Amino acid sequence: MKKYENLFKQALIITSFFVFNVIAAEPVSYSPAELTAAATDWLTEQLPADASQNIKIDVNELDYRIGNKSCEIPLTFNLAQAITQRQNTIQIRCNTTDSWQLYVPVKIDEIIEAVILQQNISVGSVITADMLTTDTRERRFIRGSLVTHAEDVVGAKTKRSLSIGQILTFQDLCLVCKGDVVTISINDNSISVAATGVAQSDGSLGDTIKVMNQQSKRAINAEVIAVNLVKVKF
């Protein structure tokens, strides 16, 4: 009797093992739409937590004609290039004996806040607050140093004609234009002095220009730091 009990137990163990492995190896079927959604979710998880609100991702839908794909184990995902690359590809892979892989094109864009023109502006116009607004844009559309605060450029002059909806950059403006009377800021340790001068050339933010000191009548090099404001460089 004990012999049959042992045989029964062994048969039960073998059967359980077989059933477990059949269940464990049961493949999961994914439609193209589900694979696209899984790739999108995975990519979203790769973004830094503090950047997820400033990043726009556009994942191409997989063609429905490829049909459903099955895999017995969890799928793996990888990016072809660094996540900082705008044009990228997500690899979806099933790492089994009958392995398969798919490639999903994706675009990754940084979204930033920028100063936008509310009207067309001709060359040489003085920027006023009512000409500007702020809006979000994709960074790829920006060429030059971005203006992020409208108040920083009120009073500046345009170096070229600008169009409504255009993103404003410091390269579009001269914060100090040739012939402008400017304030010269002189800071040397604990001493702070201000003087007036006349700009000898155009300058945008960070540019070094010649300024004629109206008191001393000497030309000095100064850095443009704001509208009609320069700082002497020592």
Side-chain angles (χ1 to χ4, degrees), residues 151-171:
E151 60 270 20
D152 291 344
V153 295
V154 170
K157 294 177 184 175
T158 57
K159 296 166 63 174
R160 55 183 67 90
S161 296
L162 305 173
S163 303
I164 185 171
Q166 184 174 333
I167 298 169
L168 193 62
T169 69
F170 283 104
Q171 282 68 34

Side-chain angles (χ1 to χ4, degrees), residues 41-73:
D41 291 343
W42 175 83
L43 180 57
T44 302
E45 291 173 359
Q46 308 313 303
L47 301 176
D50 58 350
S52 59
Q53 299 301 315
N54 302 320
I55 299 293
K56 175 185 174 184
I57 59 175
D58 182 15
V59 179
N60 284 19
E61 289 279 346
L62 285 169
D63 194 324
Y64 72 93
R65 289 173 295 185
I66 67 174
N68 289 6
K69 296 290 183 180
S70 298
C71 192
E72 300 170 357
I73 61 175

Side-chain angles (χ1 to χ4, degrees), residues 188-234:
D188 185 11
N189 295 327
S190 60
I191 301 174
S192 181
V193 179
T196 57
V198 178
Q200 303 300 293
S201 60
D202 295 346
S204 191
L205 187 68
D207 290 345
T208 298
I209 63 171
K210 290 282 187 183
V211 177
M212 183 67 71
N213 187 310
Q214 288 189 313
Q215 283 75 39
S216 67
K217 304 303 180 184
R218 291 176 54 193
I220 57 174
N221 291 322
E223 178 186 357
V224 178
I225 59 175
V227 175
N228 293 333
L229 179 62
V230 300
K231 178 177 69 175
V232 172
K233 300 187 72 175
F234 291 99

Side-chain angles (χ1 to χ4, degrees), residues 2-21:
K2 188 171 250 184
K3 177 181 177 183
Y4 289 111
E5 286 180 358
N6 290 336
L7 287 173
F8 177 78
K9 287 179 181 178
Q10 290 176 9
L12 183 61
I13 291 170
I14 293 171
T15 302
S16 299
F17 179 81
F18 177 78
V19 171
F20 173 80
N21 278 275

Side-chain angles (χ1 to χ4, degrees), residues 3 27 40 73 81 83 95 122 169 221:
K3 177 181 177 183
T40 303
I73 61 175
Q81 303 180 76
I83 201 167
N95 290 307
S122 59
T169 69
N221 291 322

